[in-house]
Structures are given as C-alpha cells and as structure tokens.
Amino acid sequence: MAQTIIITGAGSGVGASTARMFLDAGWNVGLIGRREGPLIEVAEGYGAAMVLVCDVTDEGAVDAAFDQVADRFGHLDALFNNAGIGVPASPIDEIDVAAWRQCVDINLTGSFLCARAAWRIMRAQTPQGGRIINNGSVSSVAPRPGTAPYTATKHAITGLTKTMSLDGRPFNINVGQIDIGNALTEMAKPMTIGVPQADGSVRAEATMDVDHVANAVMHMAGLPLGANVLFMTVMANDMPFVGRG
C-alpha cells in the first residue's frame, strides 16, 4: 500500500518541490494551502494528489482537511509542517503588531494545529504511529538582523519539535525538524541581490536549489519508525551561517 503524507504550504517553494518529489516516488500526497490555483498546478497529472484549500490557523478547517486525507487514503504516515511566512526586516519598535501576530499564527500556531491533527490520526490508526517533520530554519539558532517575529517563531518550533519527539514515543510517532538555509524560493530571491548582514553591510548570499531540501525531507520521511532524524540542517554551503556575525 502506498504511503501517505500531508504537506502544508504545498503550493509554492519548498512545499511544491517536496510534494512533487513524493508524488514521483509513489506516495499519496495531501496538498494544503490557502490558494487553490497553485495547489491544482502542483497536483496536475498526479492521481495520488489531493488538493485541500485550508488556512492552517483555522482549527476546524485543519481537522476537516486531515480527516479527508485519512478517509481517502486510509492511513497517514507523515506530515511535513512547512507552511510559514516572514515579516520585512526592521527594528522591533517599527514592527507592526498585526504582522507579528500573523507570523505567530501561521508559523507557530499553524504548525501546532497541523501537528495536533496528524497526531490524533496517527495515535488512533492501525498500525499506530507516523512521522511529523517540522520546517524550522537556520534562523532558529542564528538570527538575521531585524527578524524578531520570524526568528521567535522558528525558535519556538524547535521547542515544539523536542517536546513532541519526547511525547510521541509511547505512540510510535517520530518527530524531527529540518532547518533550511537559503533554498532558492521566491522568498529567498532577495538574497541573490543583497540582504542586511550583522556587520551592517548589505551583501548577496549563496543559495541552493530547492530540490535539495525535498531530497532531505524524503530521506527523513523514508526512515523506519525505529530511527529518527531529530534535527537536520540543509544549507547553501557558502552562506553566512557558521560564523554569522
């Protein structure tokens, strides 16, 4: 029987690349995103793709979407908790509170709600268990200037990952985190032109193909449940991360 994964933020960037790689590998894939058009584009030509228009901050919508996947495919093997946004860099006193709340709602609360929905299914199904992979960021341990909302949420994702990894043991639910550095998505395109550095300068940074991230997620998801990658960092080798600042 084909394995099943739900991918949030599946309409573009890391999510879209990862979804296509899993579909090509024969997985059933639930595609979650806020906009139907991009999800349909990712799903085109794949009978095992399921388009689910869903706001990850809406508890009822999340539960309903996850139940639809479980009803159609009969089993949920993995969740890639990928949906997230950034906030334009600025000093904390210039950050709009509404932007902070939106970032927390999507990046942190959305990840919590999706993990919660997946957990409920994985705990109750037979055989019991599954795998949850959270999308963290290298910013969770080495922030960029002016990124308080984004960095705070990604730091919190690390706490969520560690706690769920511990709590999942009795239910055969494995939880890990992938920290991504400079995958070339629409969000990362400014890095090829120039972004603020810790020393006050603005410089272009090295990037990597987004498919390298998809490959890493595929490796994490493909492990037997007796093994787990708790944290993996996948980054453009020459980006300023080790020694940032």
Side-chain angles (χ1 to χ4, degrees):
M1 186 175 76
Q3 291 184 289
T4 299
I5 186 171
I6 292 175
I7 298 174
T8 68
S12 62
V14 168
S17 175
T18 304
R20 290 190 178 100
M21 190 166 290
F22 274 82
L23 287 163
D24 286 339
W27 285 58
N28 303 315
V29 180
L31 307 167
I32 285 182
R34 288 177 293 175
R35 297 176 298 145
E36 184 177 39
L39 296 176
I40 290 174
E41 288 183 17
V42 173
E44 187 174 359
Y46 294 105
M50 186 174 184
V51 171
L52 300 152
V53 179
C54 174
D55 180 348
V56 297
T57 69
D58 183 330
E59 177 186 348
V62 167
D63 285 343
F66 277 68
D67 285 342
Q68 287 179 60
V69 172
D71 289 345
R72 175 172 170 181
F73 298 121
H75 198 268
L76 180 60
D77 299 280
L79 162 66
F80 181 31
N81 232 344
N82 169 68
I85 62 167
V87 174
S90 60
I92 192 168
D93 61 324
E94 297 177 14
I95 294 172
D96 184 70
V97 175
W100 163 273
R101 288 185 171 137
Q102 183 185 39
C103 188
V104 171
D105 282 349
I106 294 174
N107 293 8
L108 181 56
T109 304
S111 293
F112 164 76
L113 292 176
C114 290
R116 182 175 180 270
W119 192 286
R120 170 176 53 84
I121 293 168
M122 292 172 177
R123 182 178 178 179
Q125 66 192 1
T126 303
Q128 188 182 59
R131 187 180 305 276
I132 296 171
I133 301 169
N134 293 323
N135 187 342
S137 170
V138 297
S139 292
S140 66
V141 293
R144 293 182 177 279
T147 61
Y150 183 79
T151 296
T153 60
K154 293 304 184 179
H155 192 77
I157 288 294
T158 297
L160 187 65
T161 298
K162 290 179 178 179
T163 303
M164 291 196 303
S165 179
L166 178 63
D167 292 347
R169 292 175 183 175
F171 311 112
N172 209 26
I173 298 172
N174 288 7
V175 183
Q177 178 172 318
I178 183 165
D179 292 329
I180 302 165
N182 289 19
L184 188 53
T185 63
E186 284 298 319
M187 185 183 293
K189 277 188 176 178
M191 295 176 187
T192 65
I193 301 169
V195 288
Q197 304 295 316
D199 63 3
S201 65
V202 174
R203 295 196 299 274
E205 296 185 5
T207 59
M208 64 177 177
D209 192 289
V210 70
D211 283 350
H212 297 315
V213 178
N215 271 313
V217 175
M218 175 69 72
H219 171 72
M220 294 173 74
L223 289 171
L225 290 179
N228 186 39
V229 175
L230 183 60
F231 291 99
M232 178 188 288
T233 300
V234 181
M235 55 178 276
N237 188 59
D238 294 336
M239 68 170 288
F241 171 55
V242 179
R244 183 184 288 181

